[in-house]
Amino acid sequence: GASVLILRACLVLLAFPIYLLSFLGIWEPFCRKVFFPFILEKISTAHDKKSKKHKVELFRNLPDFRRPSGELRLLEIGTGSGSNFQFYPPGCKVTCTDINPHFQENLSKNMKKNQHLHYEQFLVAAGEDLHQVPSGSVDVVVCTLVLCSVQSVSSTLREVLRVLRPGGAFYFLEHVAAEHSSWKYFWQQVCYPTWKLVFAGCCLERELWKNLEEAKFSELKVQHIRLTLPWMPIEPHIVGYGVK
């Protein structure tokens, strides 16, 4: 308890300029427009290398959720720069959504690299409010490293289930809280307030497998894995999919 508070205070001092900018209302717009897209690209590059084998395995059965016509309509929540495009099957019709519209440059680059897909539209939308997407209209929803920063995980999962057709699937790969008795969880507690401010609302302590278990999926497969990134308190992850 006391040691966590002391170390949190030290981090606040180190990040004081960011806290000051936040108090003045300057940090959030700068973070969303400039800092977060830039730093996320750097982190994603390292994370993609660590997670590639898991994503290859995760998305291997995507074609199983095609409609009888052979069509596969996929909605990605929090598309960011589009690092998942390479794992989607040819001919897949993709709708991209993100609450932050400032990823367009890197997103366009990845679209050009992955022309085996059909890109239908880009929606500026939060995971909790996908009203622009009709109910039961998509076969697959994908969400990677996004549930950590949504305002409400349960509301986001309700929207996922709404837009999925019966028999459709929700794919996820997310970092989660470490075991409470571990040093990793101790450092997650230390870093939590400053990390959340710096990384646009990213929460380190969410036990997302519990939210998924509480959602109304008819089938749910969850695997706990570890992806080690230097100096990052986000080693524990969950990966899997749920069927509506």
Side-chain angles (χ1 to χ4, degrees):
S3 56
V4 167
L5 292 176
I6 291 169
L7 290 169
R8 278 184 177 180
C10 292
L11 272 182
V12 169
L13 289 174
L14 288 172
F16 180 75
I18 294 176
Y19 278 90
L20 179 60
L21 291 174
S22 178
F23 177 76
L24 297 172
I26 297 171
W27 173 251
E28 185 175 353
F30 172 78
C31 179
R32 290 191 177 278
K33 187 173 183 179
V34 180
F35 176 79
F36 192 58
F38 171 79
I39 199 67
L40 187 63
E41 182 188 4
K42 305 302 180 185
I43 294 174
S44 293
T45 299
H47 190 275
D48 288 345
K49 290 179 181 177
K50 295 285 187 177
S51 65
K52 185 172 183 177
K53 67 177 183 179
H54 297 287
K55 286 187 176 182
V56 168
E57 183 61 30
L58 173 65
F59 294 123
R60 189 184 303 278
N61 68 340
L62 269 178
D64 293 349
F65 295 96
R66 292 184 186 273
R67 303 181 182 205
S69 63
E71 182 181 64
L72 182 66
R73 304 183 73 91
L74 184 150
L75 170 72
E76 182 165 357
I77 299 174
T79 307
S81 60
S83 62
N84 290 327
F85 292 162
Q86 60 184 302
F87 304 105
Y88 300 158
C92 180
K93 295 183 177 180
V94 181
T95 294
C96 306
T97 73
D98 206 293
I99 195 172
N100 188 343
H102 300 295
F103 291 100
Q104 290 287 1
E105 183 178 349
N106 290 323
L107 181 62
S108 296
K109 289 179 182 177
N110 270 322
M111 284 178 169
K112 290 177 181 177
K113 289 179 182 177
N114 295 278
Q115 295 187 13
H116 63 291
L117 305 176
H118 298 297
Y119 301 102
E120 296 202 296
Q121 57 182 331
F122 177 87
L123 304 174
V124 178
E128 302 92 330
D129 182 10
L130 300 170
H131 70 273
Q132 301 167 79
V133 183
S135 299
S137 62
V138 298
D139 306 301
V140 170
V141 176
V142 173
C143 187
T144 60
L145 301 184
V146 174
L147 293 179
C148 58
S149 56
V150 297
Q151 292 293 322
S152 170
V153 177
S154 58
S155 296
T156 300
L157 293 177
R158 280 196 295 270
E159 278 291 81
V160 167
L161 285 164
R162 181 186 66 80
V163 302
L164 276 174
R165 64 165 175 81
F170 172 57
Y171 287 76
F172 54 87
L173 190 155
E174 301 284 345
H175 69 81
V176 294
E179 293 181 11
H180 286 204
S181 60
S182 67
W183 278 106
K184 289 182 175 63
Y185 185 71
F186 172 82
W187 286 111
Q188 285 180 334
Q189 288 182 297
V190 169
C191 295
Y192 179 81
T194 299
W195 181 276
K196 186 176 181 180
L197 175 64
V198 173
F199 292 100
C202 176
C203 298
L204 293 171
E205 300 177 344
R206 287 185 174 173
E207 298 175 330
L208 295 172
W209 64 91
K210 294 182 179 179
N211 299 97
L212 288 160
E213 289 167 357
E214 291 168 0
K216 296 178 180 178
F217 291 104
S218 62
E219 178 186 351
L220 180 64
K221 297 184 182 295
V222 181
Q223 181 183 2
H224 289 257
I225 62 172
R226 295 189 177 279
L227 299 176
T228 304
L229 298 173
W231 303 103
M232 292 283 184
I234 57 171
E235 180 179 333
H237 284 63
I238 56 171
V239 59
Y241 67 93
V243 178
K244 178 178 176 179

